[in-house]
Amino acid sequence: VVVSEMWVCAMMKATQVISQHNNGNVYSYHFARHPKFTTYPLSSLGTFHGIEMRYIFQKMDPSDLDDYKISNLMIKFWGNFI
């Protein structure tokens, strides 16, 4: 938890500083989905840095429909961002 809080605080500070020099246009997200799939070696750690990439490329447990709903939303959001 301490590491997570340190990461979040640093990210929030970075977005504040960048927004002051970028006309306020800074975007970030917080991915907190705990993966249910167990085929990934680090899945016992819960949510961790980079796990959202498995959702972008749809590399989840095929039986978890909630994960696919989240994945489809993320693909839509990321694709429409540009």
Side-chain angles (χ1 to χ4, degrees):
V1 173
V2 173
V3 172
S4 178
E5 291 302 319
M6 289 172 26
W7 180 264
V8 171
C9 290
M11 179 60 135
M12 289 175 64
K13 180 63 176 171
T15 55
Q16 289 173 352
V17 170
I18 293 168
S19 71
Q20 292 171 352
H21 300 284
N22 194 27
N23 298 323
N25 297 325
V26 178
Y27 303 93
S28 63
Y29 66 93
H30 180 80
F31 188 81
R33 171 80 171 169
H34 185 287
K36 293 181 182 177
F37 50 85
T38 58
T39 57
Y40 197 67
L42 300 176
S43 62
S44 63
L45 297 177
T47 303
F48 53 89
H49 178 70
I51 191 64
E52 72 275 17
M53 298 312 292
R54 294 188 63 92
Y55 289 81
I56 292 298
F57 295 105
Q58 294 195 329
K59 300 293 184 187
M60 303 92 51
D61 180 354
S63 67
D64 192 335
L65 297 179
D66 287 337
D67 274 350
Y68 276 94
K69 289 177 186 176
I70 292 168
S71 175
N72 288 331
L73 280 173
M74 288 180 65
I75 291 168
K76 180 180 176 182
F77 292 154
W78 283 37
N80 289 331
F81 183 75
I82 299 171

